[in-house]
Coordinates of all heavy atoms in Angstrom, one line a residue:
R672 N 0.8 -1.2 0.0 CA 0.0 0.0 0.0 C 0.9 1.3 0.0 O 0.5 2.3 -0.6 CB -0.9 0.0 1.2 CG -2.0 -1.1 1.1 CD -3.1 -0.9 2.2 NE -2.6 -1.2 3.5 CZ -2.6 -2.4 4.1 NH1 -3.0 -3.4 3.4 NH2 -2.1 -2.6 5.3
S673 N 2.0 1.2 0.6 CA 2.9 2.4 0.7 C 3.8 2.5 -0.6 O 4.4 3.6 -0.8 CB 3.8 2.3 1.9 OG 4.8 1.2 1.7
G674 N 3.8 1.5 -1.5 CA 4.6 1.6 -2.7 C 6.0 1.0 -2.5 O 6.7 1.0 -3.5
D675 N 6.3 0.5 -1.3 CA 7.6 -0.1 -1.1 C 7.8 -1.5 -1.7 O 8.9 -2.0 -1.9 CB 7.9 -0.1 0.4 CG 8.1 1.3 1.0 OD1 8.9 2.0 0.5 OD2 7.4 1.6 1.9
L676 N 6.6 -2.1 -2.0 CA 6.6 -3.3 -2.8 C 5.6 -3.1 -3.9 O 4.7 -2.3 -3.8 CB 6.1 -4.5 -1.9 CG 7.1 -5.1 -0.9 CD1 6.4 -6.2 0.0 CD2 8.3 -5.7 -1.6
P677 N 5.8 -3.8 -5.0 CA 4.9 -3.5 -6.2 C 3.4 -3.7 -5.8 O 3.1 -4.7 -5.1 CB 5.4 -4.6 -7.2 CG 6.8 -4.9 -6.8 CD 6.8 -4.8 -5.3
G678 N 2.6 -2.8 -6.4 CA 1.2 -2.9 -6.1 C 0.6 -4.2 -6.7 O -0.5 -4.6 -6.2
D679 N 1.2 -4.7 -7.7 CA 0.6 -5.9 -8.4 C 1.2 -7.2 -7.8 O 0.9 -8.3 -8.3 CB 0.8 -5.9 -9.9 CG 2.3 -6.0 -10.3 OD1 3.1 -5.8 -9.4 OD2 2.5 -6.2 -11.5
L680 N 1.9 -7.1 -6.7 CA 2.5 -8.3 -6.1 C 1.5 -9.2 -5.5 O 0.7 -8.7 -4.6 CB 3.6 -7.9 -5.0 CG 4.3 -9.1 -4.3 CD1 5.1 -9.9 -5.3 CD2 5.1 -8.5 -3.2
I681 N 1.4 -10.4 -5.9 CA 0.4 -11.4 -5.3 C 1.0 -11.9 -4.0 O 2.1 -12.4 -3.9 CB 0.1 -12.5 -6.3 CG1 -0.6 -12.0 -7.6 CG2 -0.7 -13.6 -5.7 CD1 -0.6 -13.0 -8.7
L682 N 0.1 -11.8 -3.0 CA 0.5 -12.4 -1.7 C -0.4 -13.6 -1.4 O -1.6 -13.5 -1.1 CB 0.3 -11.4 -0.5 CG 1.2 -10.1 -0.7 CD1 1.0 -9.2 0.5 CD2 2.7 -10.5 -0.7
K683 N 0.1 -14.8 -1.6 CA -0.6 -16.0 -1.5 C -0.3 -16.6 -0.1 O 0.8 -16.7 0.3 CB -0.1 -17.0 -2.6 CG -0.6 -18.4 -2.5 CD -0.1 -19.2 -3.7 CE 0.0 -20.7 -3.5 NZ -1.3 -21.3 -3.3
T684 N -1.4 -17.0 0.7 CA -1.1 -17.5 2.0 C -1.0 -19.0 1.9 O -1.6 -19.7 1.1 CB -2.3 -17.1 3.0 OG1 -3.5 -17.6 2.4 CG2 -2.3 -15.6 3.2
S685 N -0.2 -19.6 2.8 CA 0.2 -21.0 2.8 C -0.9 -21.8 3.5 O -1.6 -21.4 4.4 CB 1.5 -21.2 3.5 OG 1.7 -22.5 3.8
V686 N -1.0 -23.1 3.1 CA -1.9 -24.0 3.7 C -1.4 -24.2 5.2 O -2.2 -24.7 6.0 CB -1.9 -25.4 2.9 CG1 -0.6 -26.1 3.1 CG2 -3.1 -26.2 3.4
M687 N -0.2 -23.9 5.5 CA 0.3 -24.1 6.9 C -0.3 -23.0 7.8 O 0.0 -23.0 9.0 CB 1.8 -24.0 6.9 CG 2.5 -25.1 6.0 SD 1.8 -26.8 6.4 CE 2.4 -27.1 8.0
M688 N -1.0 -22.0 7.3 CA -1.7 -21.0 8.1 C -3.1 -20.9 7.6 O -3.7 -19.8 7.6 CB -1.0 -19.7 8.1 CG -0.8 -19.0 6.8 SD 0.0 -17.4 6.9 CE -1.3 -16.4 7.5
A689 N -3.7 -22.0 7.1 CA -5.0 -22.0 6.4 C -6.1 -21.6 7.4 O -6.2 -22.2 8.5 CB -5.2 -23.4 5.8
P690 N -7.0 -20.7 7.0 CA -8.1 -20.3 7.8 C -9.3 -21.4 7.7 O -9.6 -21.8 6.6 CB -8.6 -19.0 7.3 CG -8.2 -19.1 5.8 CD -6.9 -19.9 5.8
A691 N -9.8 -21.8 8.8 CA -10.9 -22.8 8.8 C -12.3 -22.2 9.0 O -13.2 -23.0 9.1 CB -10.6 -23.9 9.8
N692 N -12.4 -20.9 9.1 CA -13.7 -20.3 9.3 C -13.7 -19.0 8.5 O -12.7 -18.4 8.2 CB -14.0 -20.1 10.7 CG -13.1 -19.2 11.4 OD1 -13.1 -18.0 11.2 ND2 -12.2 -19.8 12.3
P693 N -14.9 -18.4 8.3 CA -15.0 -17.2 7.5 C -14.3 -16.0 8.1 O -13.7 -15.2 7.4 CB -16.6 -17.0 7.4 CG -17.2 -18.3 7.6 CD -16.2 -19.0 8.6
S694 N -14.4 -15.9 9.4 CA -13.7 -14.7 10.1 C -12.2 -14.7 9.9 O -11.6 -13.7 9.6 CB -14.1 -14.7 11.6 OG -13.6 -13.5 12.2
S695 N -11.6 -15.9 10.1 CA -10.2 -16.0 9.9 C -9.8 -15.7 8.5 O -8.8 -15.1 8.2 CB -9.7 -17.4 10.3 OG -9.9 -17.6 11.7
A696 N -10.6 -16.2 7.5 CA -10.3 -16.0 6.1 C -10.4 -14.5 5.8 O -9.5 -13.9 5.1 CB -11.2 -16.7 5.2
R697 N -11.4 -13.8 6.3 CA -11.5 -12.4 6.1 C -10.3 -11.6 6.7 O -9.9 -10.6 6.1 CB -12.8 -11.8 6.6 CG -13.0 -10.4 6.4 CD -14.3 -9.8 6.9 NE -15.4 -10.3 6.0 CZ -16.7 -10.0 6.3 NH1 -17.0 -9.3 7.3 NH2 -17.6 -10.4 5.5
L698 N -9.9 -12.0 7.9 CA -8.7 -11.4 8.5 C -7.5 -11.4 7.6 O -6.8 -10.4 7.4 CB -8.4 -12.0 9.8 CG -7.1 -11.6 10.6 CD1 -7.3 -10.1 10.9 CD2 -6.9 -12.4 11.8
L699 N -7.2 -12.6 7.0 CA -6.1 -12.7 6.1 C -6.3 -11.8 4.9 O -5.3 -11.1 4.5 CB -5.9 -14.1 5.6 CG -5.6 -15.2 6.7 CD1 -5.3 -16.5 6.1 CD2 -4.3 -14.8 7.5
E700 N -7.5 -11.7 4.3 CA -7.7 -10.8 3.2 C -7.5 -9.4 3.6 O -6.9 -8.6 2.9 CB -9.1 -11.1 2.7 CG -9.4 -10.3 1.4 CD -10.8 -10.6 0.9 OE1 -11.8 -10.5 1.7 OE2 -11.0 -10.9 -0.3
D701 N -8.0 -9.0 4.8 CA -7.9 -7.6 5.3 C -6.4 -7.3 5.5 O -6.0 -6.1 5.3 CB -8.6 -7.4 6.6 CG -10.1 -7.4 6.4 OD1 -10.6 -7.3 5.3 OD2 -10.8 -7.6 7.4
L702 N -5.6 -8.2 5.8 CA -4.2 -8.0 6.1 C -3.4 -7.8 4.8 O -2.3 -7.3 4.8 CB -3.6 -9.1 6.9 CG -4.0 -9.1 8.4 CD1 -3.4 -10.3 9.1 CD2 -3.6 -7.8 9.1
G703 N -4.0 -8.3 3.7 CA -3.3 -8.1 2.4 C -3.2 -9.4 1.5 O -2.7 -9.3 0.4
A704 N -3.8 -10.5 2.0 CA -3.8 -11.7 1.2 C -4.6 -11.5 -0.1 O -5.7 -11.0 0.0 CB -4.3 -12.9 1.9
T705 N -4.0 -11.8 -1.2 CA -4.7 -11.7 -2.5 C -5.2 -13.0 -3.0 O -5.9 -13.1 -4.0 CB -3.8 -11.0 -3.6 OG1 -2.6 -11.6 -3.6 CG2 -3.6 -9.5 -3.3
T706 N -4.8 -14.1 -2.4 CA -5.3 -15.5 -2.7 C -5.0 -16.3 -1.4 O -4.0 -16.2 -0.8 CB -4.6 -16.0 -3.9 OG1 -5.0 -17.4 -4.1 CG2 -3.1 -16.0 -3.9
V707 N -6.1 -17.0 -1.0 CA -6.1 -17.7 0.3 C -6.2 -19.2 0.2 O -7.1 -19.7 -0.3 CB -7.3 -17.1 1.2 CG1 -7.3 -17.8 2.5 CG2 -7.2 -15.6 1.3

């Protein structure tokens, strides 16, 4: 968001921190995950 990393950089979250409920999934998306 600050431009210090490319705006088109995909941030994919690992299955090793996989969210098992809707709230956890939304939290990852809110933090910047572009694919969960």
Side-chain angles (χ1 to χ4, degrees):
R672 291 190 291 273
S673 69
D675 293 304
L676 286 174
D679 66 346
L680 180 64
I681 294 169
L682 299 181
K683 169 177 160 63
T684 57
S685 168
V686 71
M687 302 308 292
M688 59 180 284
N692 63 70
S694 182
S695 295
R697 180 177 289 178
L698 174 63
L699 295 183
E700 186 177 51
D701 289 345
L702 289 175
T705 49
T706 175
V707 177

